[in-house]
Amino acid sequence: MTEGKILTMNGAGQAVSSDYAMTLLLKFRTVLALVLVVAIFAVLAPNFLTVANALIMLKHIAIVAILAIGMSFVILTGGIDLSVGSIAGLAGMVAGALIINGLPLTALGVVVYPSVPAVVGLVLLVGVGIGLFNGLLINRFQVAPFIATLGTLYMARGAAMLMSNGETFPNLIGNPALGNEGFSRIGAGLLLGIPAPVWLLAVIAAGAAFVAGSTTFGRRVYAVGGSERAALLSGVRVDQVKYAVYAISGAMAALVGVLIASDLVAAHPASGESFELNGIAAVVLGGASLTGGRGTIVGTLIGACVIGVLGDGMVMVGISEFWQMVIKGGVIVTAVVLDRLQERLG
Amino acid sequence: MAELMRASGVKKRYGGVTALHGVDFAVEAGRVSVLIGENGAGKSTLMRILAGIETPSEGEVHVDGEAVRLNGARDAAARGIGMVHQELNLCPNLSVAENIFLLGSRKGLLDRSGERQKARALLARLRQNIDPDRRVATLSIGEQQIVEIAKALAEECRVLILDEPTSALSEAEVEVLFEVIGDLKRSGVGIVYISHRLEELLRVGDSITVMRDGRIVARSEAADASVGWIIETMLGEEGRLERANDPAPEEGETVLAISGVSRRRDRTSAALHDISMEARAGGIVALYGLLGSGRTELMEVAFGARAASDGTITLKGEDITRLSIAQRVKRGLLFVSEDRKAQGLFANLDVGRNMAVSDLASFAKKGVIRAASEQGAVGRMIARLGVKTASARTAITALSGGNQQKALIGRALMPGPAALLLDEPTRGIDVGARSEVFATIRQLAADGLAVVFSTSDVLEALAVAERIIVIAKGRITLDIPVAEATEARLIRAANAAAAA
C-alpha cells in the first residue's frame, strides 16, 4: 500500500490526506491497540508500570506468543491447529512422568531417568509427532484441518489424563541421585534478571521471523496460503510444507507445556486448556488472514502482547472474570472488522 | 527445423470417457504451433500432457527425441517445458518477483535482491515496466499474464505452452504479447498457442492444427490457411447445426430491456461500454462473442450478480436495476451460468433437489417442504425437458453434461420465469446433446418466454436465434435479425477492434 496508489484513486487533496491517515491508522492498528491497552492500565492500575509487573507480564506473553508463532505458520498456509492446547497439556504430563517415573525400557528390564535436556528433547519429539499426525490426516486423508486438529485436541487431552488417571505430577524437582534436577529452571529461571521463557521467546521469534521472511521454506508457506493450486503447479511440494507447519506448531505447543510445568514445578493434565483460542486470537490480532497467505511473525508477537497485557491488566484492575471474556471477545472482533476494512481500502 | 518435443499416439481416458484418441503433435524450435478446436475437442488435455500435469493412458511423449515420462510441472520445467494456464495461477498475496521465483532462486536462503533484479530483467525482456515489488493482487489481468510468462521464462523454458493467453487482454496488451512471442521465436523457443480468436491465430501462428472430438483432423501452414477453412474443419460435417424449419415464433412485447449499461474492467472481468439491448416474449436472442468479450459480464449485470456503474435494466417495464438477485428471480428473471460445476450444480444433491431449489417456497408450507408437491413439480419438469435420468433421486453428477444442463434449465424454469438468460448453454456438452438443448430453448420461446443465450460459436447463433447481437471488447458491434446475418459478418464483428 503506497501513497502513490491512494493519490491516483482520489482527485481532491483533502480526501487523500484523510484517506491516507485512515490507511496508516489501520495498518498500525495492532501497535495502536497495544499502546492503548498499556496506557489504559497504566492509568487504572498503579502497579502496572513497574519493572516487576512488566517481567511477570512478559512471562505470560511468552507463553501465548510461542504458541501463536507456531500457529502462525499453520494459519499462513490457510490451515488451523486446534490441538495446541492439548499438546501443551500432554507435553507437561510427559515431562512430569519422565522426571518422576522415568522411562521404563521393558525389553531391557530397566528404567532410565533422562536428564532435563533429554526430557525436553523427548517432549518436543512428542509435539512434533502429534503435528506430523495432524499433517498425515490433512495430506494423506484429506481431512479438513479444523476437524483433524479437533480430533487430536480430544485425543491428546485424553492421553494426558490417562497418564496419571487425571492426577497431577507434583514436585518436579528431580533427584540428584538420578541426575535429573533443574527442571524448574526452564520456566522459572532468570538470566540477567529476565525470566528464561522471555529469552526463549526472543530466540524463537527471531528465528521464526527469519524463516518466514528469508528462506525458501517461508516463501513456500506463503505460496501455499496464497494459492495452493498455483503453488502445486509451480512445483511446490505442498504436502511437505503442510507436514512441516503442523510439526512446528506441535513442537511450539510442547515447549509451552514444558514451560508451564516447569514454572509450576508440577504437571497438571488439564493445563493448556483453551490455549489454542488465545493463540489464534494473537495471530488474527497480528493482522494475519485465516484464509492464509497474509500475516507476519512480528504481527503475531504484537498480537500476543495485546492478549497478554489485556489479560493481566484486567486482573490487576479487578474486572470480573465474566467481563474479562466479554472484553477480550470484543477486542478480537474489532480487530477482524478493522482487518476487513483495511482489505477494502487497500 | 529442430523438433523440441513430440506427443506420439497419445491417448487419454478419464474413467469411461476418452478425451484423446491417439494424437500426434510436434513442437518445433522457433515456431508457433497453433492448436484450435471447439470446447471439449481435447486441446487442453493434450496441453496438460505435454506440460507434465497429466500422464497419457497410452502413447509416448518425446523430448529432444527421447521418450520421457513427465511427472508433474516440476519435472516438465526441468526439461524446459513451461505452461501458462488459461486460468491464472499466481499467488495474489505475493509480489511479482516472489511469484516469478516461487521456489526460490537457490536453496535455503532467499536471495531477494538478486531475484528482484532478475525479475526486472525478465520483465524488461517482455517490454514491461512492472515493479517487481508490486503485489500480484494489484496487477491487471494482462499484467498477470505477463508475469506468468516471465515465470515460465525464468525456468529457461524452450517450449512455452500458452492456453488462451489473450482471452483477458486488452488490444494493447495483445500487441505486447505478440511482440514478446516474436522475440521468443527468434531466440529459438517453440511455442504452442491455443486460442479461439481466428484472425489472431492466423497472424501469430506458423502452423495450424485443428482438433475435433479428441482427434487431430487437419494440419496446415498458417500461410495456406483461411478463417473459412478453420471453421469448416473445426466443425466437421456432423457439427453443422441445421436451422429448424418450424416457423419463427410470434415475437411479443419487450420483456427484458438493458439500456446504457457500462462498467469498468477489474481483475477478473471485462468492461462493458454503453450496452443497450432488449429481449421480447417468444424471441431468442443470441449474444455472440469471444471469450472475454464481456458477454458473461453483461448477463451477470442483467441478473444482478455483478454491479454496473451506469445504465438501467427493466423487466416487463419495471426498473429492476437496484433489485437484489432474489427480487429479480421473484419477478421472473432467471439465469443459468456457463460455469456449471462451480456456479450451477449442487454436486451433493440429487437431480430433483437440484431442480427444486429455485422454487422451494411454492412447495413449502410454513417452511416445511411438502415432498409430494416437490416431486410432482420436478417430475413434470423432467418430462417436459426430456432430462435423461433414472429418477429424480439420481445424483446429479451421474448425468451427462447435456442432461445436467437440461436439469439446470429446468431449475430456472421452475418458478415460471418471463425471461431466461443462458450463458453458453452448450459449453462442455457433446454435439448430440447440443441440438437437444437448442430444441428445448426453441420450445421455451414458443411457449412465450424471452430467451437470451450467449455463445462463442457462430453457427449456434445462426441456427437458433431470431436476433443476433455481437459483442466485442465490451461493446455491441452488431445487432441484426438472423436473416441479415452471415458467418463472415458475425466473425468480423466479433473480432472488431474497439473503436477507441
Side-chain angles (χ1 to χ4, degrees):
Chain A
M1 204 164 336
T2 62
E3 191 172 8
K5 180 157 179 249
I6 293 152
L7 281 171
T8 57
M9 278 165 60
N10 295 283
Q14 196 62 39
V16 170
S17 62
S18 80
D19 250 29
Y20 187 51
M22 184 71 182
T23 316
L24 267 182
L25 270 177
L26 281 173
K27 195 168 176 190
F28 295 106
R29 64 184 181 278
T30 323
V31 181
L32 285 176
L34 182 58
V35 171
L36 203 68
V37 171
V38 170
I40 289 172
F41 290 124
V43 172
L44 294 180
N47 296 331
F48 187 81
L49 277 187
T50 59
V51 174
N53 186 50
L55 288 179
I56 292 170
M57 283 201 304
L58 275 175
K59 205 157 116 179
H60 293 161
I61 288 167
I63 300 285
V64 179
I66 291 174
L67 201 81
I69 285 171
M71 182 76 77
S72 295
F73 283 99
V74 173
I75 287 180
L76 279 175
T77 64
I80 192 102
D81 189 351
L82 299 180
S83 63
V84 290
S86 297
I87 293 178
L90 178 61
M93 292 303 286
V94 171
L98 285 172
I99 286 170
I100 296 206
N101 300 333
L103 188 62
L105 297 175
T106 33
L108 301 171
V110 291
V111 176
V112 178
Y113 286 86
S115 67
V116 167
V119 166
V120 174
L122 286 170
V123 170
L124 289 185
L125 276 184
V126 170
V128 169
I130 298 176
L132 291 177
F133 178 69
N134 282 330
L136 181 79
L137 292 175
I138 291 158
N139 283 322
R140 186 80 187 75
F141 301 105
Q142 302 283 307
V143 183
F146 190 96
I147 303 299
T149 58
L150 182 65
T152 35
L153 176 155
Y154 284 113
M155 287 192 274
R157 182 63 67 197
M161 298 288 179
L162 283 170
M163 290 199 62
S164 63
N165 240 332
E167 303 289 322
T168 302
F169 284 121
N171 225 5
L172 303 177
I173 46 173
N175 184 339
L178 299 170
N180 61 356
E181 300 168 274
F183 182 66
S184 66
R185 288 224 296 275
I186 309 167
L190 293 175
L191 180 63
L192 303 175
I194 292 172
V198 179
W199 286 107
L200 257 177
L201 169 64
V203 172
I204 288 171
F210 176 75
V211 167
S214 305
T215 63
T216 52
F217 171 71
R219 172 159 313 160
R220 285 165 204 208
V221 168
Y222 279 94
V224 169
S227 167
E228 201 169 315
R229 185 166 167 72
L232 199 69
L233 288 174
S234 307
V236 174
R237 294 288 305 268
V238 174
D239 51 347
Q240 284 181 358
V241 172
K242 287 190 182 172
Y243 274 119
V245 294
Y246 287 97
I248 291 173
S249 179
M252 293 299 119
L255 183 59
V256 164
V258 168
L259 290 177
I260 294 170
S262 161
D263 192 24
L264 302 173
V265 208
H268 191 271
S271 110
E273 233 160 44
S274 82
F275 273 30
E276 60 279 355
L277 301 182
N278 274 339
I280 295 168
V283 175
V284 171
L285 277 175
S289 153
L290 280 182
T291 54
R294 193 164 55 87
T296 60
I297 298 298
V298 173
T300 294
L301 206 55
I302 300 172
C305 287
V306 174
I307 294 274
V309 170
L310 194 63
D312 284 8
M314 287 193 296
V315 172
M316 289 180 75
V317 177
I319 295 172
S320 90
E321 207 180 315
F322 309 138
W323 274 110
Q324 285 184 31
M325 288 201 255
V326 173
I327 292 169
K328 201 153 120 186
V331 168
I332 293 168
V333 169
T334 310
V336 178
V337 168
L338 291 177
D339 190 64
R340 300 311 305 170
L341 215 61
Q342 185 189 11
E343 277 283 274
R344 224 178 308 157
L345 279 180
Chain B
M1 245 157 291
E3 182 181 299
L4 295 173
M5 79 180 301
R6 157 181 295 278
S8 46
V10 163
K11 292 188 183 174
K12 181 70 186 177
R13 280 181 293 270
Y14 297 100
V17 185
T18 306
L20 290 178
H21 305 264
V23 167
D24 295 296
F25 184 74
V27 186
E28 288 161 342
R31 277 171 65 88
V32 177
S33 310
V34 163
L35 200 56
I36 184 166
E38 286 196 280
N39 292 322
K43 306 176 304 258
S44 293
T45 309
L46 179 56
M47 291 311 95
R48 292 164 67 80
I49 287 174
L50 291 181
I53 298 160
E54 296 196 29
T55 48
S57 313
E58 268 175 58
E60 282 178 333
V61 175
H62 298 262
V63 178
D64 296 324
E66 176 195 345
V68 293
R69 192 181 164 78
L70 298 171
N71 282 317
R74 239 2 281 124
D75 209 14
R79 293 180 185 275
I81 302 158
M83 176 160 179
V84 176
H85 295 264
Q86 187 181 343
E87 70 286 10
L88 292 164
N89 280 296
L90 296 171
C91 295
N93 57 327
L94 297 179
S95 76
V96 169
E98 285 171 332
N99 264 288
I100 292 176
F101 298 100
L102 199 64
L103 294 172
S105 54
R106 62 184 191 205
K107 277 205 174 350
L109 279 188
L110 292 175
D111 172 18
R112 281 184 186 279
S113 63
E115 285 170 5
R116 197 175 295 134
Q117 251 171 25
K118 281 186 227 163
R120 193 169 281 126
L122 279 168
L123 291 166
R125 185 176 164 197
L126 298 175
R127 308 176 190 204
Q128 288 298 301
N129 191 19
I130 303 172
D131 180 356
D133 288 329
R134 263 178 79 185
R135 269 203 323 151
V136 161
T138 67
L139 300 179
S140 75
I141 296 279
E143 288 170 320
Q144 292 188 34
Q145 191 78 260
I146 297 288
V147 172
E148 283 260 31
I149 294 173
K151 190 173 161 185
L153 292 180
E155 307 262 8
E156 296 183 358
C157 70
R158 299 173 301 139
V159 174
L160 181 61
I161 302 167
L162 301 170
D163 190 0
E164 296 217 38
T166 57
S167 56
L169 299 192
S170 71
E171 195 77 8
E173 287 167 334
V174 169
E175 287 309 313
V176 171
L177 179 70
F178 282 4
E179 282 178 33
V180 168
I181 288 176
D183 288 348
L184 294 175
K185 268 171 67 172
R186 277 188 285 284
S187 61
V189 175
I191 292 169
V192 181
Y193 191 98
I194 301 178
S195 176
H196 285 292
R197 300 188 178 183
L198 303 179
E199 287 172 9
E200 181 181 301
L201 294 180
L202 292 174
R203 214 185 116 194
V204 78
D206 293 304
S207 72
I208 298 197
T209 303
V210 185
M211 288 190 78
R212 194 194 325 139
D213 298 331
R215 292 186 175 82
I216 286 176
V217 291
R219 250 186 265 263
S220 166
E221 287 298 299
D224 306 330
S226 68
V227 168
W229 175 83
I230 295 177
I231 293 173
E232 244 163 66
T233 43
M234 195 165 77
L235 297 176
E237 283 306 308
E238 74 269 37
R240 294 237 159 224
L241 277 172
E242 288 308 319
R243 192 171 173 86
N245 267 337
D246 41 344
E250 291 286 312
E251 285 208 21
E253 58 190 33
T254 300
V255 176
L256 177 69
I258 296 169
S259 85
V261 162
S262 295
R263 68 186 297 275
R264 278 194 297 185
R265 76 197 275 247
D266 56 30
R267 243 168 49 67
T268 54
S269 62
L272 296 174
H273 305 283
D274 192 20
I275 288 200
S276 300
M277 59 168 283
E278 54 182 42
R280 293 170 175 277
I284 304 176
V285 175
L287 197 56
Y288 170 64
L290 303 174
L291 203 66
S293 59
R295 47 171 208 227
T296 297
E297 286 79 359
L298 177 57
M299 287 201 168
E300 287 176 346
V301 165
F303 187 56
R306 228 177 246 287
S309 53
D310 273 305
T312 53
I313 295 145
T314 57
L315 186 71
K316 292 180 286 190
E318 183 192 359
D319 186 345
I320 59 166
T321 317
R322 305 246 153 261
L323 299 189
S324 69
I325 292 178
Q327 289 168 321
R328 292 180 204 216
V329 167
K330 213 166 187 177
R331 285 163 177 74
L333 179 63
L334 271 292
F335 170 68
V336 178
S337 165
E338 63 175 339
D339 191 349
R340 207 157 49 230
K341 229 183 233 160
Q343 301 191 27
L345 301 176
F346 299 109
N348 53 332
L349 300 181
D350 62 29
V351 175
R353 292 194 169 89
N354 260 286
M355 291 171 72
V357 69
S358 61
D359 201 25
L360 281 182
S362 70
F363 309 132
K365 202 170 187 178
K366 293 196 172 126
V368 179
I369 295 173
R370 288 168 303 167
S373 144
E374 178 186 1
Q375 278 161 19
V378 166
R380 281 192 297 279
M381 190 58 76
I382 288 176
R384 176 177 167 198
L385 298 183
V387 181
K388 287 195 198 74
T389 173
S391 80
R393 290 290 172 83
T394 310
I396 190 92
T397 46
L399 268 52
S400 70
N403 281 300
Q404 287 179 351
Q405 188 66 305
K406 282 198 212 165
L408 290 185
I409 293 175
R411 175 198 291 170
L413 293 177
M414 291 298 252
L420 191 55
L421 304 168
L422 304 167
D423 196 6
E424 275 222 80
T426 58
R427 183 171 155 184
I429 66 181
D430 62 44
V431 174
R434 187 166 74 158
S435 28
E436 280 191 40
V437 166
F438 282 131
T440 305
I441 291 176
R442 270 195 292 265
Q443 186 53 51
L444 296 177
D447 293 348
L449 223 67
V451 182
V452 181
F453 77 97
S454 77
T455 177
S456 46
D457 183 333
V458 72
L459 297 176
E460 282 187 4
L462 287 168
V464 183
E466 269 87 47
R467 188 160 196 92
I468 301 176
I469 295 174
V470 182
I471 182 165
K473 303 221 158 58
R475 287 188 168 78
I476 288 180
T477 51
L478 195 64
D479 182 352
I480 50 174
V482 70
E484 297 169 25
T486 62
E487 285 173 37
R489 201 172 163 197
L490 295 181
I491 289 176
R492 218 173 304 124
N495 282 284

